């Protein structure tokens, strides 16, 4: 449940990156994303039920609380619901949602245990952001940089998660830490479309940015710093001592960091309302993660 708080921000950041305020179709994209995310989570447990019986016997399927047939049925139903909601938002959204669903199913059923696993998971998050963008506004390349940054973060977290049950890898959390810092620095930079004021206040000096632009850039930088801070220490601890508990903790921190990253992307796109609303979700996700692990 705690990981669900990371889902709405994909579509909302996508709407912001497209340069449009959220609307009814954005809400449809959010609901579609939630359904497809839960479909993937359920299918993941179904596909890993034999492995979980050894490593995580307390989970619903290996413990017998839920049957494999019920889990698979729920995953199919949630996937159909997600595609149906995306169709209501328009044909471009349905195309993106279909690609997203195909990526999720491919990852859970095969790609997760191959070298292509992290790239597939990264593609899924990037597509989820594009789902919100295509549902909210006409097709445009504007959301692609935001989708790439979100995908880069997801790739890093997934690389670490491949070692969370056995530990032993310092390389993955080290790479994830470097990727996080790179994403934070890039996301804190102004978009190329943000320009200086054309009228300098002092001859011979560059014009000062308008107060609103300056405040927006400062808020974006603060959000980016908050994003980087969330997983940085856990990644460092996991790199120094790659035991399963520390690796699992770093994966959880990487998942929670999605929310401040989504907020940073929205702020960078000039949507302060969306960015601040997303930042308000972070404490809720953190509090719920203490009761239900996001991993």
């Amino acid at each position: 449940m705690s990981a669900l708080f990371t889902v709405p921000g994909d579509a909302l950041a996508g709407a912001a990156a497209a340069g449009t305020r959220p609307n009814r179709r954005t809400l449809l994209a959010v609901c579609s994303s939630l359904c497809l995310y839960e479909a993937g989570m359920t299918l993941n447990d179904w596909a890993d039920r034999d492995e979980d019986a050894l490593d995580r016997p307390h989970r619903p399927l290996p413990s017998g609380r839920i049957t494999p047939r019920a889990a698979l049925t729920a995953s199919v139903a949630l996937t159909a619901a997600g595609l149906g909601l995306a169709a209501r938002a328009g044909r471009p959204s349905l195309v993106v949602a279909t690609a997203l669903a195909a990526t999720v199913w491919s990852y859970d059923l095969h790609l997760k245990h191959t070298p292509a696993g992290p790239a597939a998971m990264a593609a899924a998050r990037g597509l989820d952001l594009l789902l919100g963008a295509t549902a909210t506004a006409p097709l445009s390349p504007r959301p692609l940089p935001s989708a790439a940054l979100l995908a880069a973060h997801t790739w890093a977290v997934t690389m670490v998660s491949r070692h969370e049950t056995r530990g032993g890898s310092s390389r993955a959390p080290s790479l994830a830490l470097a990727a996080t810092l790179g994403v934070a620095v890039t996301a804190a930079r102004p978009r190329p479309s943000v320009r200086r004021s054309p009228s300098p206040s002092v001859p011979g000096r560059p014009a000062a940015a308008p107060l609103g632009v300056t405040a927006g850039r400062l808020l974006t930088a603060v959000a980016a710093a908050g994003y980087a801070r969330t997983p940085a220490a856990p990644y460092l601890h996991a790199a120094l001592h790659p035991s399963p508990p520390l690796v699992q903790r770093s994966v959880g921190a990487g998942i929670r960091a999605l929310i401040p990253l989504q907020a940073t992307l929205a702020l960078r796109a000039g949507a302060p309302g969306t960015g601040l609303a997303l930042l308000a979700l972070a404490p809720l996700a953190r509090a719920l993660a203490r009761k239900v692990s996001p991993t």
Side-chain angles (χ1 to χ4, degrees), residues 180-181 183-185 187-188 218-232 260 264:
T180 297
L181 296 177
V183 169
V185 170
L218 178 60
L219 189 56
T220 302
V222 171
Y227 152 69
R229 179 180 178 275
T230 301
T264 302

Side-chain angles (χ1 to χ4, degrees), residues 44-57:
N44 178 72
D45 278 10
W46 179 85
D48 285 354
R49 60 192 185 279
D50 293 334
E51 178 182 337
D52 286 344
L54 299 175
D55 296 330
R56 298 168 178 175

Side-chain angles (χ1 to χ4, degrees), residues 18-114:
T20 307
R21 291 183 178 180
N23 53 36
R24 183 186 67 86
R25 294 188 303 275
T26 312
L27 179 60
L28 288 170
V30 169
C31 294
S32 173
S33 296
L34 288 168
C35 288
L36 294 176
Y37 187 86
E38 277 300 294
M41 295 284 280
T42 307
L43 183 65
N44 178 72
D45 278 10
W46 179 85
D48 285 354
R49 60 192 185 279
D50 293 334
E51 178 182 337
D52 286 344
L54 299 175
D55 296 330
R56 298 168 178 175
H58 61 280
R59 283 193 166 184
L61 269 70
S63 67
R65 299 196 304 275
I66 294 177
T67 65
R69 181 177 180 180
L72 184 60
T73 300
S75 186
V76 172
L78 286 164
T79 300
L83 294 176
L85 289 163
R88 293 287 302 274
R91 184 174 296 178
S93 301
L94 177 59
V95 172
V96 175
T98 301
L100 173 57
T103 303
V104 169
W105 278 70
S106 298
Y107 174 84
D108 284 338
L109 297 181
H110 176 63
L111 295 178
K112 177 170 56 177
H113 299 294
T114 72

Side-chain angles (χ1 to χ4, degrees), residues 139-245:
L139 292 176
S140 165
R142 291 185 62 181
L144 292 178
S146 293
L149 290 173
L150 188 64
H153 172 82
T154 306
W155 173 85
V157 177
T158 309
M159 286 290 293
V160 179
S161 71
R162 293 163 76 90
H163 306 277
E164 63 179 328
T165 58
R166 295 175 175 83
S169 173
S170 296
R171 182 173 179 269
S174 298
L175 288 174
L177 178 58
T180 297
L181 296 177
V183 169
V185 170
T186 304
R189 292 175 179 171
R191 288 168 61 99
S193 58
V194 176
R195 302 187 184 279
R196 292 180 178 271
S197 171
S199 54
S201 55
V202 178
R205 293 185 182 179
L211 181 60
V213 174
T214 302
R217 290 176 180 174
L218 178 60
L219 189 56
T220 302
V222 171
Y227 152 69
R229 179 180 178 275
T230 301
Y235 281 154
L236 181 59
H237 294 160
L240 295 175
H241 305 284
S243 63

